[in-house]
Amino acid sequence: MDVSHLLDPLNDAQRQAVTSPLAPTLVLAGAGSGKTRVLTHRVAWLVQVENVPPGGILAVTFTNKAAGEMRGRIEAQLDLPSAPLWVGTFHGIAHRLLRLHWREAGLPQSFHIIDAEDQQRLVKKIIRGMELDESRWVPREMAWFINAQKDEGLRPRHLQDEGDLDRRQRIRIYEAYEDACHRSGLVDFAELLLRSYELWKEVPGLVEHYRNRFAHTLVDEFQDTNTIQYAWMKALVGSSSLPFVVGDDDQSIYRWRGARVENLQQFRRDFPGVQLHRLEQNYRSTGTILAAANAIIANNSGRIGKKLWTSDERGEPIRLYRAYNERDEAEFVVNRVRNWVTRGGKRSDAAILYRSNAQSRVFEEYLLAARVPYRVYGGLRFFERAEIKDALGYMRLIANRDDDASFERVVNLPTRGIGARTLELLRAHARANSCSLWQAGVACASGLSARAASCLNAFLDLINRLEQDVLDLPLHEQVDHVIQASGLAAHHKKDRGDRGEARLENLEELVSAARGFEPDDDSMTPLAAFLSHAVLESGEGQAEEWEDCVQMMTLHSAKGLEFPLVFLCGMEDGLFPHQRSIADVQGLEEERRLCYVGATRAMRQLFVTYAEQRRMHGVDSYGAPSRFIAEIPPELLEEVRPRVQVSRPAYQPWRGRAQARPTAVQGRSAATQRFTDDAPGSLRLGQHVRHEKFGSGVVINIEGQGSNARIQVNFERQGTKWLMMGYAKLDVVQN
DNA sequence: CGTGGGCGGATTTTT
DNA sequence: TCCGCCCACG
């Protein structure tokens, strides 16, 4: 068979990896080195050259997006439907296994998946049920604890209190949580993985069956696997199936949620004779950007080792901007974006990256003021919105009356006279009889006041009736009917204004989502399949109209993306690297990897900015420039400094000795200092000025324009004052 | 049962 | 500073 179409588009290293002999294989794939291409071509190679039937291949990723992309590219590559291949996320595949083997897994056939929010609510409910102090046993932290145990493969019975009373209590909460999940048939995300791992371990013959079926297991982003995912893969692969894993230890940024970079090294130990390939040629960035990224990451210890190179030109230097404060930083970035657009660039080619979400606000304000369209990634996603979860709550209750979380969610939404008193009674009854709230409702209807009883009965009847109404309807009509008949639609319609309207639109969008939904698993009802889909696939991009806009996101969410123009903002010690990660080496190295990820997002031009002063949580703080800046070789950097210039002739530059500010990069002065045209030609924030009466100070705010503008100056001796531009006699201090 | 004010807490995020 | 949560009040 002619395989030239398969191999021609590959470079040497990629070709080596794709055609790797049938042995355990590890591909170290640097940023932008064509990792996905290698994975998809490997699948095609296995099918077309090694004659592996597509059904014998399992490909695992972390995100639905990556899974979708891989599936699409495999289909294009093979030119046949990829249905027989199992391509999915760890969670999606675990889910599929549990649906197929629910009995062996000890789950009810109708088990439901709960998302992180549901989980936290449930944990909170349990803590309350145990009459524990919620400020001491913080639900969020307890949920975290439970997930961390599950990620390590640990059940309560595996845990010892070690004589520690706190720990003992945490284990009890974990136990109580497990009981509750069991009673209601609920499965959280970590449980999907752990349960399917236990399936391998405890059901005789099952893992052998899958081992035989999947002769090849491919794993993407291997550096992100946690303990249980690694153990799961290892158990599946056994000694007869062949693993092909791709990852980059330098891009491991999820240690804090259980990811183990060590799994890469562990893989080499666990599978002797591993074929190791390195993809080091980068097709994304300029030489300068790569040199900087390489230099930064070289400061980490214990790397497997890898050095990116490119045949691309050196390109522009990395530009460093030292802002006076976060507003100045935002203004600079916005000006640069406008500049880019003026010169014909697309807004969507520009990305503003930052360490934490809170930083987006200032950028948003300035982009808004400059009327530059933007999009912030990382808000609530479609299926996480309250109104959507309410509607799904009804659907879930229809599918499973014992789903307490959904019961509580919708029992009084819209309000129908079932208040806290009634609910407390039901909870007590449910607790006493170890039954669900629904069962408690059926049982205690008589023990309530006539009024409460009739309200409650009306609700029980409503749910029963909805189930009947919906029985023979196609999925989207089921959803529509429930939204209407439950009163949810009317409830939001009452709320005049943007918010209610937006919620109604989202509910309509839910109906469309249901209309477009294609179940991929016929062991479930379409409704059950849709509900699982809604939890596992949180709906990124749902109902998002696409416009050419500036992209804003955290460094974490930028992983895997690329942009011609990138701004790495807020590069200050304490913010990035984050204060909470600075103390230990591991934490700091992860921050450094994050910096590496950020830098390697840039294709043509990288800007690095930091603010000398930053207002956070209402307090001003003064951070030193990020230590990562100093790790960039100075010859790659060019410091951008605003031209110190006054727009109005009224301001006479003060002819004193220039106040030298410390150079941006500590201990280095090689960064080329050049005055550029960034200042809009007026007094800028951070400008040192002198007033004949108040003395010297610093401009900290500017409002308005022209002679009507007001400026706020922080005077050394007099404190802050607002001054009218037109009247104040200010001298600019050259600095 | 719904709202407003006081309080505490405030990396990073997918599934 | 700002957001979300809880409780007290109308």
Side-chain angles (χ1 to χ4, degrees):
Chain A
M1 170 158 198
D2 177 25
V3 292
S4 55
H5 70 284
L6 249 178
L7 301 181
D8 282 351
L10 303 177
N11 69 28
D12 266 358
Q14 292 171 338
R15 196 172 303 164
Q16 293 288 328
V18 165
T19 62
S20 186
L22 297 186
T25 302
L26 168 60
V27 181
L28 278 180
S33 65
K35 153 184 83 97
T36 311
R37 165 176 285 199
V38 164
L39 270 169
T40 54
H41 282 245
R42 173 67 173 183
V43 170
W45 174 264
L46 289 174
V47 173
Q48 295 179 343
V49 179
E50 304 285 358
N51 295 315
V52 177
I57 295 171
L58 172 69
V60 197
T61 63
F62 275 84
T63 65
N64 290 301
K65 195 172 152 219
E69 222 159 86
M70 193 177 332
R71 183 172 282 283
R73 285 170 70 165
I74 290 172
E75 269 177 30
Q77 195 65 239
L78 290 178
D79 198 25
L80 40 89
S82 61
L85 272 123
W86 278 33
V87 180
T89 62
F90 275 102
H91 292 86
I93 284 163
H95 175 235
R96 192 162 174 180
L97 288 166
L98 293 179
R99 287 290 172 203
L100 288 167
H101 305 288
W102 54 274
R103 214 187 298 270
E104 296 99 311
L107 289 169
Q109 186 172 17
S110 65
F111 76 86
H112 277 285
I113 306 169
I114 55 173
D115 67 13
E117 192 204 337
D118 297 337
Q119 182 188 35
Q120 208 173 295
R121 286 166 101 102
L122 180 54
V123 169
K124 182 184 221 163
K125 202 180 108 186
I126 280 150
I127 291 169
R128 286 188 176 173
M130 293 170 79
E131 296 182 336
L132 295 172
D133 177 5
E134 271 178 75
S135 59
R136 179 147 178 225
W137 309 100
V138 185
R140 216 187 56 236
E141 288 167 10
M142 287 305 108
W144 183 276
F145 170 79
I146 291 168
N147 290 333
Q149 303 313 309
K150 290 189 181 185
D151 285 348
E152 293 293 312
L154 300 169
R155 295 289 185 191
R157 66 173 185 281
H158 299 126
L159 300 174
Q160 262 94 52
D161 60 28
E162 296 154 5
D164 179 341
L165 288 181
D166 274 23
R167 183 171 166 82
R168 184 159 168 203
Q169 191 62 267
R170 283 205 292 273
I171 296 169
R172 282 216 192 110
I173 294 170
Y174 182 7
E175 258 169 335
Y177 170 77
E178 280 209 314
D179 285 347
C181 287
H182 183 73
R183 267 202 308 281
S184 304
L186 301 177
V187 172
D188 61 48
F189 289 135
E191 184 73 21
L192 284 170
L193 300 175
L194 179 51
R195 200 56 84 113
S196 60
Y197 170 72
E198 289 168 346
L199 209 53
W200 290 160
K201 287 292 174 187
E202 287 160 21
V203 181
L206 195 69
V207 74
E208 287 79 7
H209 167 79
Y210 281 99
R211 230 174 253 170
N212 290 331
R213 164 162 189 179
F214 298 120
H216 296 271
T217 300
L218 294 83
V219 184
D220 192 13
E221 304 278 17
F222 199 73
Q223 76 284 351
D224 285 339
T225 52
N226 63 26
T227 300
I228 198 73
Q229 285 161 335
Y230 183 74
W232 182 90
M233 181 223 71
K234 209 177 131 200
L236 169 62
V237 164
S239 53
S240 51
S241 169
L242 283 178
F244 184 97
V245 310
V246 181
D248 180 0
D249 53 335
D250 292 335
Q251 291 189 74
S252 162
I253 55 174
Y254 288 112
R255 190 178 77 102
W256 52 275
R257 64 176 203 215
R260 301 294 198 100
V261 213
E262 311 90 88
N263 285 346
L264 281 168
Q265 300 279 19
Q266 191 61 38
F267 182 83
R268 296 171 79 181
R269 283 194 289 273
D270 286 345
F271 296 92
V274 160
Q275 302 280 315
L276 179 66
H277 301 276
R278 282 189 174 78
L279 306 183
E280 296 174 299
Q281 182 174 6
N282 172 291
Y283 293 97
R284 178 185 291 156
S285 312
T286 62
T288 300
I289 291 166
L290 286 186
N294 280 332
I296 291 168
I297 201 67
N299 291 288
N300 270 7
S301 60
R303 299 171 59 215
I304 297 178
K306 181 168 39 52
K307 195 158 189 182
L308 292 181
W309 61 276
T310 178
S311 57
D312 194 33
E313 55 181 6
R314 292 189 59 77
E316 298 282 308
I318 292 164
R319 300 235 153 74
L320 174 68
Y321 181 69
R322 167 181 49 155
Y324 175 64
N325 60 22
E326 74 281 356
R327 280 161 289 143
D328 184 22
E329 179 185 51
E331 194 181 13
F332 171 78
V333 170
V334 171
N335 282 333
R336 278 303 174 146
V337 169
R338 291 164 81 179
N339 209 280
W340 168 266
V341 173
T342 310
R343 286 186 287 176
K346 274 164 61 185
R347 282 184 289 263
S348 56
D349 282 345
I352 303 174
L353 309 182
Y354 36 79
R355 177 66 233 267
S356 65
N357 287 306
Q359 288 169 254
S360 74
R361 223 194 73 227
V362 191
F363 291 108
E364 288 186 70
E365 280 169 16
Y366 278 77
L367 287 164
L368 219 49
R371 299 173 183 266
V372 178
Y374 64 87
R375 183 184 164 187
V376 183
Y377 285 78
L380 273 192
R381 271 147 335 170
F382 184 73
F383 287 115
E384 291 167 356
R385 292 173 191 278
E387 62 275 19
I388 299 303
K389 291 191 71 168
D390 294 338
L392 294 176
Y394 276 98
M395 312 298 299
R396 280 166 55 172
L397 203 53
I398 289 167
N400 172 16
R401 299 302 141 87
D402 297 332
D403 184 339
D404 285 354
S406 297
F407 186 97
E408 292 219 30
R409 181 162 197 120
V410 303
V411 68
N412 204 32
L413 189 96
T415 42
R416 46 173 74 89
I418 304 171
R421 293 259 296 272
T422 310
L423 214 52
E424 200 35 64
L425 245 141
L426 292 189
R427 285 201 203 99
H429 183 98
R431 213 172 302 140
N433 297 281
S434 305
C435 68
S436 65
L437 289 171
W438 176 273
Q439 286 162 4
V442 173
C444 343
S446 50
L448 294 164
S449 71
R451 189 190 158 90
S454 83
C455 290
L456 181 59
N457 276 321
F459 174 71
L460 301 178
D461 288 344
L462 170 70
I463 299 298
N464 287 331
R465 199 175 60 243
L466 284 176
E467 185 185 24
Q468 291 306 311
D469 289 350
V470 130
L471 218 49
D472 299 312
L473 296 179
L475 182 62
H476 71 274
E477 287 179 32
Q478 294 187 19
V479 176
D480 192 39
H481 182 80
V482 168
I483 290 171
Q484 301 305 327
S486 64
L488 279 180
H491 174 70
H492 292 301
K493 216 169 274 169
K494 263 201 326 221
D495 182 0
R496 298 255 160 236
D498 291 353
R499 207 183 48 207
E501 207 169 299
R503 291 186 167 159
L504 272 175
E505 277 172 22
N506 283 334
L507 288 173
E508 279 161 25
E509 190 58 31
L510 181 64
V511 177
S512 323
R515 190 181 289 119
F517 176 68
E518 290 168 24
D520 56 352
D521 185 339
D522 36 55
S523 68
M524 288 185 275
T525 65
L527 175 58
F530 183 64
L531 291 173
S532 298
H533 166 85
V535 188
L536 283 173
E537 164 89 72
S538 47
E540 179 70 75
Q542 193 94 27
E544 262 339 315
E545 76 265 42
W546 208 81
E547 198 191 349
D548 179 29
C549 50
V550 176
Q551 312 287 301
M552 294 172 61
M553 68 196 79
T554 62
L555 288 156
H556 282 90
S557 26
K559 195 172 87 157
L561 306 177
E562 59 182 25
F563 309 92
L565 175 63
V566 167
F567 297 89
L568 282 185
C569 304
M571 295 282 289
E572 295 127 51
D573 258 34
L575 185 58
F576 186 35
H578 196 274
Q579 194 59 50
R580 292 166 77 147
S581 313
I582 266 174
D584 72 316
V585 183
Q586 302 258 319
L588 186 63
E589 294 203 338
E590 177 144 310
E591 297 282 312
R592 187 175 282 116
R593 291 192 291 267
L594 196 53
C595 186
Y596 174 78
V597 166
T600 51
R601 299 311 96 195
M603 301 164 79
R604 312 309 311 165
Q605 171 77 76
L606 176 62
F607 279 92
V608 173
T609 67
Y610 69 96
E612 296 182 316
Q613 183 185 77
R614 183 177 295 274
R615 202 175 181 84
M616 280 196 90
H617 314 317
V619 228
D620 283 327
S621 56
Y622 303 81
S626 170
R627 60 194 75 188
F628 302 144
I629 296 178
E631 292 173 2
I632 302 174
E635 65 271 17
L636 305 176
L637 270 181
E638 177 183 292
E639 187 168 5
V640 176
R641 306 197 60 197
R643 186 168 45 191
V644 177
Q645 181 211 304
V646 184
S647 60
R648 301 169 55 79
Y651 306 125
Q652 293 301 318
W654 183 60
R655 309 226 171 256
R657 246 203 355 250
Q659 269 184 340
R661 288 215 243 157
T663 320
V665 184
Q666 299 145 320
R668 296 172 190 268
S669 53
T672 320
Q673 308 231 334
R674 205 166 77 182
F675 293 111
T676 57
D677 56 354
D678 287 300
S682 65
L683 224 48
R684 68 179 275 274
L685 291 173
Q687 181 64 58
H688 289 252
V689 293
R690 192 171 181 83
H691 186 271
E692 57 178 7
K693 217 162 96 199
F694 301 136
S696 57
V698 175
V699 177
I700 56 174
N701 214 340
I702 301 178
E703 271 182 8
Q705 287 192 336
S707 57
N708 287 327
R710 301 164 67 232
I711 65 171
Q712 193 181 22
V713 180
N714 190 4
F715 290 105
E716 276 164 20
R717 275 167 296 145
Q718 313 281 321
T720 59
K721 302 229 182 284
W722 279 101
L723 303 167
M724 288 299 288
M725 206 72 127
Y727 301 108
K729 290 210 173 62
L730 284 175
D731 287 338
V732 169
V733 178
Q734 205 80 44
N735 60 326

